């Protein structure tokens, strides 16, 4: 993915001017590129209760999720002079969560990777070694950024002569003509009932489509029926 560092720096400088910094008079602005091409920004916001200061990176990560989620690819963080500023320790942990080891942070003379800024980082994988998969019913950590996105297709299958239910999580929304990336994110396990497979799907995406043995489509997702799906799925169909 092409990173336009100059554009990120310009956006960071612009939002730095909106910082609320009565305590420090040290405005900070950040702009980050998301893996779908969006740019999200944030500025620091201080408080009379000094320890409650919100760093610019925190605002940016809030905006990342408020505007659709995704993974951070690159970030420019600037001080009042417009020069690159290193994220504080706490923010490095926050950036690690949403950008991972490959995320780049503007620095001189070259951008630095998150695994350079936060070596030996603590993350979900360390917890999962002890507790098993975290973050809700078994969404693997490497797929956490896809939660709430894509579409789950649930369908019956034969296993050892018996009908079971399974599904797969597809990265595109399934809507025609959007030019989105396609591809399977995760194959589901076998479930005894359609309801169990639908529940597996709803943990991953609000878009869940049940495909019956005849290829008929029913909507088990949230909200209105999307175009091309004639009916809502009900437990009785299972
Ligand atoms: N600050 C940020 O917003 N991000 C950083 O990574 C470094 C520090 C802010 C917090 C506080 O408002 C001011 O800079 C001085 O510490």
């Amino acid at each position: 993915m092409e990173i336009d560092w100059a554009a990120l720096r310009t956006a960071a400088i612009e939002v730095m001017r909106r910082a609320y910094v009565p305590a420090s008079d040290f405005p900070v602005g950040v702009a980050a590129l998301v893996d779908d091409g969006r740019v999200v920004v944030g500025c620091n916001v201080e408080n009379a209760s000094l320890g409650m200061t919100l760093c610019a990176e925190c605002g940016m990560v809030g905006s990342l999720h408020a505007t659709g989620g995704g993974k951070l690819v690159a970030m420019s963080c600037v001080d009042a002079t417009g020069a690159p500023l290193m994220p504080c320790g706490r923010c490095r942990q926050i950036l690690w969560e949403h950008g991972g080891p490959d995320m780049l942070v503007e620095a001189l003379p070259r951008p630095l990777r998150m695994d350079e800024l936060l070596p030996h980082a603590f993350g979900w994988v360390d917890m999962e070694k002890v507790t098993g998969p975290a973050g809700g019913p078994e969404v693997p950590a490497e797929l956490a950024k896809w939660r709430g996105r894509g579409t789950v297709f649930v369908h019956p299958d034969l296993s050892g002569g018996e009908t079971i239910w399974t599904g797969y999580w597809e990265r595109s929304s399934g809507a025609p003509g959007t030019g989105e990336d396609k591809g399977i994110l995760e194959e589901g396990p076998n479930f005894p009932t359609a309801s169990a497979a639908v529940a597996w799907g709803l943990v991953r995406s609000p878009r869940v489509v049940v495909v019956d043995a005849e290829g008929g489509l029913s909507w088990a997702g949230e909200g209105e029926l999307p175009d091309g799906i004639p009916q809502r799925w009900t437990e009785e169909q299972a």
Side-chain angles (χ1 to χ4, degrees), residues 21 24 26 28 44-46 53-57 77 85-88 91:
V21 288
S24 70
F26 187 84
V28 178
N44 53 338
V45 176
E46 296 181 342
T53 288
L54 305 175
C55 281
E57 292 88 337
C77 175
L85 182 70
M86 283 295 101
C88 78
C91 287

Side-chain angles (χ1 to χ4, degrees), residues 3-6 8-9 73-76 84 86 102-117:
I3 299 166
D4 185 345
W5 287 106
L8 283 183
R9 175 93 74 101
V73 174
M75 180 188 82
S76 171
M86 283 295 101
D102 304 324
M103 180 186 173
L104 295 171
V105 174
E106 190 181 28
L108 297 174
R110 61 166 179 91
L112 294 170
R113 291 170 51 86
M114 274 310 299
D115 56 9
E116 293 177 281
L117 289 179

Side-chain angles (χ1 to χ4, degrees), residues 123-170:
W124 289 107
V125 284
D126 301 294
M127 286 171 63
E128 289 176 7
K129 278 179 206 155
V130 177
T131 62
E138 281 123 58
V139 177
E142 70 275 14
L143 291 176
K145 71 157 184 156
W146 285 96
R147 263 186 115 170
R149 300 162 71 186
T151 310
V152 171
F153 293 91
V154 164
H155 61 89
D157 211 344
L158 282 174
S159 174
E162 266 185 73
T163 299
I164 50 85
W165 285 83
T166 185
Y168 59 94
W169 188 9
E170 155 65 42

